[in-house]
Amino acid sequence: MPRLALISVLLFGVVHLPKGGPADVYAADPSATPEAIERMKEIWGLDQPLHVQYLRWVTRLVQGDWGRSYVERRPAIEVVADRLGPTLRLTGAALLVGLMAGVGLGVLAGVSRSPGVQHAVRVIAVLGMSVPTFWSGAIVLLVFSSYLRWIPAGGVGTIGGEATLLDALWHLAAPALVLGSVYVAQWMRYVQAGLESVADDDFVRTARAKGLSRARALLRHGLPNVLLPLVTVLGLELPRLLSGAMVTEVVFSWPGIGRLLHGSLVTRDYPVVLGTLIVAGVAVLIVNLATDLLYGVLDPRVRYA
Amino acid sequence: MTSIRRQFATLLAVLAVAITPIAAAQTLTILFPQEPGSLFPHFDLLSLAHEAQDLVFDRLFAVDEQGAYLPELAAEVPTVANGGISADGRVYTIRLRDGPAWHDGTPVTAADLAFTWRVITDPDLPIPTRTVWRDIVSIETPDERTAVITFGDTNVSFLGAASFAGAFVLPSHLLEGIDDLASAPFHRAPIGNGAFRLAEWQAGSFLRFERNDAYWAGPAHFDSVVIRIVPGSEAQRTVLSRGEADLVLQVALTELPFVDGLAAYRRASVPTFANWQLWLNNEDPTLADARVRQALVHAIDRELIAETLLGGLSRPDDAVLPVSHWAHADDVRRYPFDAAEAERLLDAAGWVRPGGSAIRERAGQPLRIELINIAGQADRLQVVQAVQAFWRAIGVQAEIREVDAASFVPTLGGGDFQSAYGFFGEGQEPVWNLWLGTNWQRYGNQEALDLLRAYGVTVEREARRELAVAFQRQVAEDVPVIILAPRPLLAVVRADIQGFAPTTTSSLWNVHAWRR
């Protein structure tokens, strides 16, 4: 409980740290008088000392009231909820892409002794880790949407069209691949290194002594040992996945909470910023809990310890 | 024979009708880089929110391409001559047009106008602009289509305020009695009186509007309008290269080369009365000397900046009101690019180059000026960097400090700055808020400011123009701000769209008349 209180203070303080507030966004307009801007601050309670504003926010928060968006003029919880679905779809798909491609390529690199495969894997790893998503996203749009017309120009669905699963997947594919590609390289290297490290362990050598090929021994006995710590890594990567989604959402006009957070920071829409951060924080907590539980399922030693 | 011929003609007519293709539903697709927060008029100053509201609502007056007032909900533009404005400029009599109705069928009445005034001036509502409307003492409605608006003093800005980008009339029969209009569902589900009605709003994705067949000026040619939210420049380029948009508003100037390469589109300059300018803090010890300020403007090749970094959309000028404004002053002091004159002025002000040093000094203090810019926009940064280079050439070290948009105004308002780059503009009827209100530049010439105070109580327009011109002449002498060039906005429109005629108040004001 004290830790949660501390986090809420830090969160509130950091969000309010930069100069300017939601009313100041309007102040640049020639028709907005200083008196009207000051009145807006009074109505919104932004003229109160920060600790008073914090106490009011936290009191309402524990009662389930996140406050109202200064921009959209509706409950912040509604604003965030509207954007949560697209982000969950995007990050979920990106996670799937990262896992499937990362583990697949990692196994290939760990099992194969071909110099060509090793070289190709190194190239993929360097590219995947060094290419930022805003660049790869722009290139994907340029090549596959502008020139080849294979994918749409962003968004979650065809406007005015029928909302079908196929249409949703068609729009989801490119942003999910771009966001997931960042993790392909990382998880591929992780699996490859893990397989190489267990290749000479007793249990693998025993399996091979029983007549299994190196590849089969590694896949059947080595891989489960490598994948176990990967679950922990996945849990730790979620915050980075969410922050990466912010960039991808802007590039692909994806209406998720990353783009919402970016816009809300610019307009100083505090209730929405805080609400988005709370959702992201809760998501991290849930994933960490799920990681712990999954660990117990995958490794009985943890369960009985 | 005649009968056979008639039957044959009838058959042909029936066949002609049968084979005529049914016209496909026409949708106008507009790209917005930013999503409006609310469509409830008066609560938002975002210009894109005003554009979206313009589809759903009408104002009393619109402004055409030449800057002339056009009656929209009003039946005529009031003047002293037609008795719509009293001789002392205190009373405006507005007669509403017969025909406009809300989307639920209720007629628009004078009571709606009176209600709109009460909303704008309600001190308990977070309304960012109450200018002009707050000076109204009463609105009487002798009949359903007449409103008599009385000001406490002479008011010369009402027509400008009533045709302002967001000055839409509200439906009293739907909103009167609602406790908290600041959080009413009307923000996201408005009932208006314009050419289109809001049909669907998917947060972060798009807004879809359907044609109002009962619109007073006749149904629009397009069946529907879609505002598609596309924030990233890459995605905008992709949409344009696929031909999926009819119009893009507020395109970044850095996109000009790309835009000019699109065969299916043409670029359009959307006029505004704003200038790109550099605020100079006139109370800063370095910048308090007018010779320093004059040197700084002489040092900048504004022609080059306008032609290259500002896309050649406008020509540099030294007057506060741009050349398109009716009160623009032609005969102000000019500051052509002249680095030698700039150096001479700085020498005269005591800022010299000891031993030919790169940076000038006075009493051992180097000539450094901090230049504040709003971060995150490439076209802005390019201009600021060009200014930095021009000033460097005359021995002034400019240090760029980037702040975010929300911090910009508090920084200027608090006086914690030396110079800052941005834009600012007046409306059709200037209220001079930058000079008599915020005065971020700390301009202290009271004689010049008195001209503006006199402007505010002068009914006759020509007399007002003379006061505005005199003020602009004095400002050009004092250089409290450096005006780089007027700021038209860049729009991209499909070549086959007819009727697009952006004005200083709106790009979509006449959207009902557009056709493909």
Side-chain angles (χ1 to χ4, degrees), chain B residues 364-375:
Chain B
Q365 293 297 314
L367 182 47
R368 285 203 188 104
I369 295 175
E370 188 180 63
L371 180 49
I372 291 175
N373 180 45
I374 293 178

Side-chain angles (χ1 to χ4, degrees), chain B residues 122 125 175-182:
Chain B
D122 185 341
L125 291 175
L175 298 174
E176 187 107 63
I178 292 180
D179 280 345
D180 185 11
L181 289 176

Side-chain angles (χ1 to χ4, degrees), chain A:
Chain A
M1 208 49 192
R3 195 175 297 174
L4 273 179
L6 181 66
I7 290 171
S8 71
V9 170
L10 285 175
L11 209 59
F12 193 86
V14 167
V15 166
H16 285 75
L17 206 56
K19 201 182 266 187
D24 294 311
V25 174
Y26 298 106
D29 193 279
S31 62
T33 57
E35 301 78 43
I37 299 302
E38 286 309 309
R39 184 65 194 132
M40 287 177 81
K41 289 179 184 173
E42 287 169 22
I43 292 169
W44 285 338
L46 300 171
D47 59 331
Q48 299 294 311
L50 203 56
H51 69 275
V52 175
Q53 292 183 45
Y54 167 75
L55 286 174
R56 197 180 52 208
W57 171 69
V58 86
T59 308
R60 286 179 180 168
L61 188 67
V62 295
Q63 294 169 350
D65 179 1
W66 295 23
R68 280 187 172 274
S69 164
Y70 299 123
V71 175
E72 298 198 16
R73 320 275 175 162
R74 58 187 181 133
I77 195 166
E78 274 181 27
V79 177
V80 176
D82 271 357
R83 305 295 192 91
L84 195 55
T87 290
L88 288 178
R89 285 207 299 277
L90 176 59
T91 49
L95 203 64
L96 207 63
V97 167
L99 264 181
M100 286 171 60
V103 172
L105 287 170
V107 168
L108 185 68
V111 171
S112 170
R113 286 178 162 173
S114 156
V117 171
Q118 298 291 334
H119 187 65
V121 164
R122 264 197 296 274
V123 170
I124 292 171
V126 169
L127 279 178
M129 286 181 169
S130 56
V131 175
T133 49
F134 70 83
W135 189 83
S136 56
I139 295 298
V140 164
L141 275 180
L142 182 70
V143 175
F144 296 102
S145 185
S146 288
Y147 292 123
L148 298 173
R149 310 279 174 114
W150 290 354
I151 59 169
V156 288
T158 304
I159 298 171
E162 202 179 333
T164 63
L165 179 64
L166 201 64
D167 186 61
L169 289 174
W170 186 48
H171 282 80
L172 177 63
L177 280 170
V178 166
L179 184 58
S181 67
V182 177
Y183 303 95
V184 171
Q186 186 181 339
W187 294 337
M188 178 185 73
R189 295 287 286 175
Y190 191 86
V191 171
Q192 180 194 7
L195 285 176
E196 284 169 356
S197 74
V198 298
D200 294 324
D201 281 1
D202 290 348
F203 63 94
V204 175
R205 280 194 288 139
T206 305
R208 291 201 65 187
K210 286 182 174 177
L212 290 180
S213 65
R214 180 176 183 275
R216 285 181 71 91
L218 278 174
L219 279 175
R220 186 173 294 180
H221 300 284
L223 190 58
N225 288 279
V226 174
L227 290 182
L228 203 55
L230 190 67
V231 174
T232 312
V233 177
L234 280 178
L236 294 173
E237 283 296 334
L238 186 77
R240 205 155 72 90
L241 191 67
L242 287 173
S243 59
M246 184 192 285
V247 177
T248 311
E249 285 176 2
V250 171
V251 172
F252 287 94
S253 311
W254 194 264
I257 59 168
R259 223 179 86 196
L260 177 68
L261 179 61
H262 176 258
S264 304
L265 283 168
V266 171
T267 55
R268 300 285 195 278
D269 197 350
Y270 299 136
V272 176
V273 172
L274 289 164
T276 310
L277 292 175
I278 288 169
V279 166
V282 169
V284 171
L285 283 177
I286 290 173
V287 168
N288 279 340
L289 182 67
T291 305
D292 287 348
L293 295 174
L294 196 60
Y295 219 93
V297 172
L298 294 174
D299 187 352
R301 289 172 302 177
V302 176
R303 216 180 322 159
Y304 299 128

Side-chain angles (χ1 to χ4, degrees), chain B residues 167-188:
Chain B
F168 301 104
V169 176
L170 300 170
S172 59
H173 69 290
L174 294 172
L175 298 174
E176 187 107 63
I178 292 180
D179 280 345
D180 185 11
L181 289 176
S183 58
F186 195 82
H187 284 277
R188 307 282 287 187

